[in-house]
Amino acid sequence: MKKLLNTLFVTLPDTYLSLDGENILVKQEDEVKARYPLHNLESIYTFGYAGVSPALMGKCASQNINLTFMTQTGRFLARVIGEDRGNVVLRKEQYRISDDEMRSARLARNMIIGKLYNNKWILERATRDHALRINTERIKKVTTSLSETMNLLRSVEQLDVLRGLEGTAAVQYNSVFDDLILQQKNSFYFYGRSRRPPLDKVNALLSFTYTLLSNDMKSALEAAGLDPYVGFLHRDRPGRASLALDMMEELRGVYADRFVITLINKKIVNGKGFYVKENGAVIMDDDTRKTVIKAWQERKQEKIIHPYLKEQISWGLVPYSQALLLARHIRGDLDEYPPFLWK
């Protein structure tokens, strides 16, 4: 199993990253602000615009350290990765499955069943833990519908039908997502998913967290020898990591959504840490973004028992474990892909 190392998030404005021997230097106006040994790092995220030295980019590539560039608002820009050493036999089979819509649907439906199962569990746990504070009858209707949809999915072999059922289930789940927000209701509310740009504070948190999860998923797929840009449910589109989006589906609720709800309900973030741009986009300020990143790193270190592998791993290794299980299925070692079913 891959060892979970540290991720370095550089959020200082106008920083320049350079190489000094086996160390990364974080400079601001020619002043060294920090120094970190590269051998302790798995990936680097930089939110600045000053840049990165070619020597450091080359070193990161040679040591398989993912270097990701983000805007100050958390939008993904680009990634620098090393030489592609993906298993050619594995990837050729991945491409064959992707080209066959029926085989793609059979594989993707397991991911969507995993998504609905996890979303149902999130709602059922809320009714169990907060029965006096939420509308349990309304949530029960949604969980019952999710169970019915999962039963329908088991026999689906058409991508369009699969997308339709998934889309309907997502609308139902989102319709009660606001019920899960128990604190700071004046500042944090959810009336529906909005992206590019996010139009409220909850969507701003969700979009940022999904970006972090997406990049972790890309890295995991590359480490497993798979092509993150060739998916099954999400079809080919230039520049879109379709397979990473596929694999994220089963983790969005249980990994990212629960994380955002925790940030709000435990008052780790507050409504004052956001601002609104002229186009209506709601953006986190620097302090809030740092708080979210710190909490995200702490969550990744928490230990769980993987529901399929029955091994203790950290949350941060869940994307890697699922990528390895997908690779085993594509190779023919597993009859079906086992989605991450958490409870």
Side-chain angles (χ1 to χ4, degrees):
M1 181 63 71
K2 183 180 179 68
K3 183 180 179 182
L4 181 63
L5 300 176
N6 294 319
T7 299
L8 174 63
F9 291 89
V10 182
T11 60
L12 287 172
D14 302 322
T15 53
Y16 184 79
L17 308 183
S18 63
L19 182 67
D20 180 22
E22 296 296 319
N23 300 296
I24 176 176
L25 299 184
V26 181
K27 298 180 179 179
Q28 189 177 42
E29 297 180 353
D30 295 327
E31 178 185 355
V32 177
K33 292 291 186 179
R35 179 192 302 265
Y36 302 96
L38 284 171
H39 70 269
N40 286 336
L41 295 177
E42 178 185 43
S43 55
I44 301 169
Y45 287 72
T46 177
F47 293 81
Y49 291 102
V52 176
S53 73
L56 178 59
M57 283 192 282
K59 190 72 170 180
C60 288
S62 67
Q63 294 192 8
N64 199 29
I65 299 173
N66 291 314
L67 178 58
T68 302
F69 296 88
M70 313 277 283
T71 67
Q72 283 288 313
T73 59
R75 183 171 58 86
F76 172 79
L77 290 175
R79 296 172 70 234
V80 176
I81 58 176
E83 180 183 355
D84 187 356
R85 298 181 178 88
N87 185 313
V88 63
V89 176
L90 174 65
R91 290 198 173 191
K92 287 179 70 175
E93 184 61 21
Q94 176 189 351
Y95 300 151
R96 292 189 189 102
I97 296 173
S98 180
D99 286 339
D100 186 326
E101 289 208 5
M102 185 173 292
R103 292 181 70 190
S104 292
R106 290 171 180 169
L107 204 162
R109 73 186 178 193
N110 283 17
M111 300 174 184
I112 299 305
I113 288 174
K115 175 181 181 177
L116 270 57
Y117 177 94
N118 290 331
N119 288 355
K120 177 187 173 184
W121 172 81
I122 292 169
L123 298 177
E124 288 185 342
R125 180 169 180 173
T127 60
R128 182 194 69 191
D129 295 344
H130 308 288
L132 299 179
R133 302 182 64 184
I134 61 178
N135 189 330
T136 56
E137 183 177 350
R138 181 169 62 177
I139 290 181
K140 184 63 178 177
K141 290 180 180 179
V142 173
T143 58
T144 300
S145 179
L146 292 178
S147 295
E148 294 171 351
T149 303
M150 281 189 279
N151 289 330
L152 292 174
L153 284 170
R154 298 181 189 279
S155 59
V156 171
E157 294 187 342
Q158 298 82 32
L159 284 174
D160 287 342
V161 176
L162 183 63
R163 293 191 189 100
L165 291 172
E166 186 276 331
T168 300
V171 170
Q172 293 173 332
Y173 169 74
N174 286 337
S175 72
V176 294
F177 187 80
D178 188 67
D179 291 45
L180 306 181
I181 301 173
L182 304 176
Q183 301 290 337
Q184 309 185 84
K185 296 291 287 188
N186 289 334
S187 297
F188 294 96
Y189 44 82
F190 183 86
Y191 300 140
R193 186 76 178 101
S194 60
R195 58 180 76 84
R196 303 187 190 94
L199 299 177
D200 58 60
K201 300 178 180 69
V202 176
N203 274 290
L205 289 168
L206 288 172
S207 292
F208 185 70
T209 304
Y210 290 159
T211 298
L212 296 177
L213 179 57
S214 173
N215 280 287
D216 287 347
M217 199 73 249
K218 290 176 194 173
S219 298
L221 291 167
E222 288 163 351
L226 293 162
D227 187 339
Y229 290 89
V230 178
F232 308 118
L233 179 67
H234 295 83
R235 309 309 288 172
D236 296 346
R237 182 184 298 175
R240 182 173 74 176
S242 296
L243 184 57
L245 295 177
D246 288 353
M247 297 289 288
M248 277 180 60
E249 292 296 340
E250 65 202 67
L251 299 179
R252 283 182 190 269
V254 74
Y255 200 151
D257 293 359
R258 286 181 64 233
F259 171 74
V260 169
I261 291 295
T262 298
L263 291 177
I264 299 169
N265 287 344
K266 291 190 175 182
K267 300 182 180 180
I268 298 171
V269 298
N270 62 73
K272 296 180 180 179
F274 299 79
Y275 61 92
V276 182
K277 299 181 69 176
E278 292 181 357
N279 65 349
V282 177
I283 306 297
M284 290 180 286
D285 63 22
D286 290 345
D287 289 340
T288 299
R289 186 170 59 250
K290 292 175 184 177
T291 298
V292 172
I293 288 171
K294 181 176 182 293
W296 179 255
Q297 286 298 93
E298 290 172 352
R299 172 61 63 88
K300 288 173 67 174
Q301 301 294 334
E302 293 178 6
K303 301 295 184 180
I304 62 169
I305 301 297
H306 192 283
Y308 179 81
L309 299 174
K310 306 302 181 184
E311 296 179 6
Q312 186 181 68
I313 63 172
S314 63
W315 267 112
L317 287 180
V318 170
Y320 291 96
S321 66
Q322 294 309 117
L324 291 173
L325 289 170
L326 177 61
R328 289 183 62 187
H329 167 65
I330 292 175
R331 290 191 185 99
D333 298 333
L334 293 173
D335 290 338
E336 290 198 45
Y337 165 70
F340 184 81
L341 305 177
W342 182 246
K343 190 171 182 179

